Amino acid sequence: KRHRRTRDDVSVKSDSSSVTELQRRENMKVVYTTFHDDKPEKNMKLIRSEMLLLIHSDQVVIKVEASTVSPLDCIFRRGEFSPYSPPLPATPGVDCIGRIVKCGREASKYGFYKGDRVAALSISGGNSRYVALSIDDVVRVPDEVDPVRAVCLISTYLTAFQALSIHSSEIERYYPKSLKQSNILIIGGSRLMNLALIQLSKALGAKGIFCPSKEEDHAWIKSLGGYPIPLQHEEWLPLVEEQIDLAVDGVCSDGYDSPRKALTPNGNLVCIGMSSVVKNRKTFLDNFRAILTEASTHFMSHTVFYGGAIQSKFDNIDQYHYDLEYLFKLLAKNKIEPPIHRKIPLRKVPLAHHILDKVEKDGFIVCQPWLK
């Protein structure tokens, strides 16, 4: 394993000696200038310009092959991810993959060279033809994997994998069947997150994958390898009570009480969201109760609150690198298969945001910036 800098090692230099010039290139990118809840097609613009990119010594510039247009991008655009909101004007695209076309002076120290294919989880910038990235953000991508499918792993599958592996040791988390003979309960979350959780649970050897869901989604869950059970906890709890080794809950419909009761004596609960609390709270008192509910999970035995891949990256940059490298290996071995809903050019990114604001898709929308 190559050495990586910690957050404390990183210092962004602003003097001219730390900056490397990139030759002039024609760049195109999508830009929004304000945070809006609606009408992204009016707020987002496609900008084409001749740009002279300047990079710091600890950066690389990539020619983007693929980037995401995801619900997470929509959350950033609406200004709802306040701790990490990008500065305006901003370019969407949390996940991106591309070939390095320019390296800062320090890149070779960390094994990166011109022509390498790399991926990055960033706050913004992916929906463009060229983007400058910190060396700490980039992860090598095997040449044999399809960049369109690989880009889908970066935030969604990484979040799912880390939620499933949060109680594993550093060695156990990369075992081929790290969830062997385990019963998994997946509650709520977005459709793509559920898809990633089911696929990864199956790939890692889980015995049973139980998914509370609406009846119209039962066939879809079965097609992924999951076992659908009734949506309401009053109905599904008797079916799995004290049988679950790992529960992943993104809803908190009853303060996490039902998933805790579903656990075996040594089972674990991973809380990845509180959608029912967030959607229903209207007053300051409701907001306060939501905060208390979240805080209480830190003190419950066998319970962990996990904030997602972006927060995890800031907390443990090395884990981010190693986990993502492992996911790319699973993709190369066809152990996981992210479905593609549509591949679009840059000019259709605003329309994709408009669609995702209204309805979830069963597959990923991937932007290929060189498509006409």
Side-chain angles (χ1 to χ4, degrees):
K1 295 179 178 179
R2 67 175 180 271
H3 170 71
R4 302 182 191 279
R5 292 172 295 175
T6 65
R7 286 170 60 83
D8 294 336
D9 294 329
V10 179
S11 59
V12 178
K13 303 174 183 179
S14 58
D15 60 289
S16 58
S17 63
S18 70
V19 175
T20 302
E21 184 178 298
L22 176 70
Q23 63 269 34
R24 190 177 297 275
R25 302 251 178 151
E26 182 184 51
N27 196 18
M28 289 179 62
K29 60 183 179 179
V30 179
V31 172
Y32 58 91
T33 56
T34 59
F35 295 120
H36 273 302
D37 286 338
D38 56 3
K39 298 182 179 178
E41 63 274 22
K42 292 187 177 180
N43 183 37
M44 306 175 80
K45 306 294 182 184
L46 181 61
I47 296 177
R48 182 195 298 264
S49 62
E50 286 286 332
M51 299 183 66
L52 187 65
L53 297 182
L54 300 175
I55 61 171
H56 291 281
S57 59
D58 60 353
Q59 289 182 317
V60 295
V61 172
I62 70 167
K63 181 179 180 179
V64 179
E65 295 175 281
S67 59
T68 54
V69 183
S70 69
L72 184 56
D73 290 312
C74 296
I75 290 172
F76 275 114
R77 190 204 78 242
R78 296 193 300 263
E80 295 173 359
F81 210 151
S82 55
Y84 305 110
S85 293
L88 296 175
T91 294
V94 171
D95 312 314
C96 64
I97 281 179
R99 297 279 183 180
I100 295 176
V101 296
K102 187 70 175 182
C103 293
R105 290 195 304 273
E106 296 181 27
S108 62
K109 297 180 183 178
Y110 302 95
F112 294 112
Y113 298 92
K114 184 177 179 180
D116 287 346
R117 175 180 281 160
V118 294
L121 171 61
S122 186
I123 301 301
S124 63
N127 295 156
S128 58
R129 287 186 169 178
Y130 295 95
V131 62
L133 300 165
S134 167
I135 294 171
D136 290 307
D137 287 342
V138 298
V139 177
R140 194 179 311 280
V141 180
D143 284 336
E144 63 266 27
V145 303
D146 175 12
V148 170
R149 296 197 181 276
V151 77
C152 304
L153 306 185
I154 298 171
S155 59
T156 303
Y157 279 73
L158 181 59
T159 294
F161 176 75
Q162 291 186 338
L164 292 169
S165 306
I166 202 165
H167 291 283
S168 302
S169 69
E170 288 190 14
I171 297 176
E172 290 174 340
R173 73 192 290 122
Y174 304 123
Y175 281 171
K177 298 295 181 182
S178 59
L179 296 178
K180 186 177 181 180
Q181 298 303 309
S182 296
N183 282 326
I184 311 299
L185 176 65
I186 300 169
I187 307 170
S190 69
R191 292 181 71 82
L192 291 180
M193 183 57 63
N194 285 344
L195 182 151
L197 285 165
I198 294 171
Q199 281 195 4
L200 283 167
S201 296
K202 185 178 177 181
L204 299 176
K207 179 172 65 175
I209 307 165
F210 299 92
C211 308
S213 54
K214 298 177 182 178
E215 189 170 348
E216 57 261 36
D217 290 331
H218 285 191
W220 176 67
I221 289 171
K222 286 181 181 179
S223 72
L224 298 174
Y227 185 83
I229 54 180
L231 180 62
Q232 301 304 321
H233 59 82
E234 297 90 349
E235 298 180 61
W236 62 252
L237 181 57
L239 302 176
V240 297
E241 192 164 6
E242 297 184 353
Q243 299 179 50
I244 298 300
D245 300 292
L246 176 64
V248 181
D249 190 338
V251 180
C252 186
S253 63
D254 60 351
Y256 303 119
D257 184 57
S258 293
R260 289 201 305 273
K261 290 179 178 178
L263 298 177
T264 64
N266 294 319
N268 294 292
L269 168 62
V270 180
C271 310
I272 62 171
M274 306 173 69
S275 61
S276 69
V277 178
V278 173
K279 288 179 181 177
N280 293 324
R281 68 191 192 215
K282 300 295 183 183
T283 66
F284 171 80
L285 181 59
D286 289 331
N287 185 64
F288 181 68
R289 286 173 178 162
I291 294 171
L292 286 182
T293 301
E294 178 178 337
S296 70
T297 65
H298 293 280
F299 301 98
M300 294 186 296
S301 178
H302 299 284
T303 303
V304 173
F305 194 93
Y306 168 65
I310 290 179
Q311 179 61 53
S312 175
K313 189 187 81 166
F314 284 113
D315 292 341
N316 190 336
I317 189 72
D318 285 341
Q319 196 75 77
Y320 154 76
H321 283 91
Y322 301 140
D323 286 351
L324 198 49
E325 287 169 353
Y326 180 66
L327 289 176
F328 290 141
K329 290 177 182 178
L330 290 181
L331 181 64
K333 296 176 181 179
N334 297 316
K335 299 294 186 181
I336 51 178
E337 184 68 16
I340 307 302
H341 172 69
R342 186 168 296 173
K343 293 180 280 189
I344 63 170
L346 282 170
R347 59 185 172 81
K348 291 192 176 180
V349 168
L351 177 59
H353 273 251
H354 175 77
I355 293 171
L356 289 175
D357 277 343
K358 297 181 181 299
V359 62
E360 287 190 279
K361 297 297 182 182
D362 291 338
F364 291 85
I365 299 176
V366 176
C367 174
Q368 293 182 282
W370 300 91
L371 286 180
K372 299 299 183 181

